[in-house]
Amino acid sequence: MSDVVSLIPEVKPWLAMKALHSAVRNETHGVSELNAADRNLIWRQDRGRRTSPIGGRILVNLFHDGRIQQNLPASEDISALIAYSEGVDDFRDKVLRAIDELHRVADQSV
């Protein structure tokens, strides 16, 4: 998960992830607008547990709200995180293709 958090300059990773978990738990910073499928995808990518572009979008919202603590001198440039979070549609397509492939393999083995 720290690879996505590291897209925020001078970030305090543990506190950033704590803020993300809190936003998900309390349904703030855009979480309440997500459907159930997207909520399940906040931390899923490939086979590992990793912050997805959906979670990245929530991190952007948290940053703009001042909820992400940074070491000083803090940079306001989170363009890399914004670029990553804009990949939500590609990420969803990738997940759907992976699910379809799993179903195809399961159907062939029956």
Side-chain angles (χ1 to χ4, degrees):
M1 287 187 253
S2 63
D3 54 340
V4 175
V5 172
S6 70
L7 298 176
I8 304 170
E10 295 89 34
V11 71
K12 296 183 179 188
W14 182 80
L15 294 175
M17 289 312 299
K18 184 177 176 182
L20 178 58
H21 282 275
S22 177
V24 171
R25 183 177 55 252
N26 298 324
E27 295 188 8
T28 64
H29 296 87
V31 176
S32 60
E33 301 166 14
L34 300 175
N35 63 34
D38 282 349
R39 287 181 193 190
N40 288 333
L41 294 176
I42 289 172
W43 284 295
R44 301 226 196 303
Q45 184 153 335
D46 300 325
R47 291 199 165 106
R49 183 170 154 87
R50 181 178 148 175
T51 305
S52 73
I54 297 167
R57 185 184 304 162
I58 297 165
L59 283 170
V60 169
N61 294 340
L62 287 163
F63 183 85
H64 288 309
D65 192 32
R67 304 287 179 144
I68 303 290
Q69 293 186 19
Q70 296 174 284
N71 298 316
L72 296 176
S75 169
E76 295 292 316
D77 180 16
I78 59 165
S79 56
L81 178 62
I82 291 170
Y84 176 74
S85 69
E86 289 173 348
V88 170
D89 292 333
D90 292 337
F91 171 69
R92 283 190 194 112
D93 290 343
K94 181 180 175 183
V95 170
L96 291 174
R97 283 193 307 273
I99 290 170
D100 287 345
E101 181 63 27
L102 287 173
H103 286 222
R104 243 189 318 274
V105 169
D107 289 344
Q108 290 174 354
S109 65
V110 174

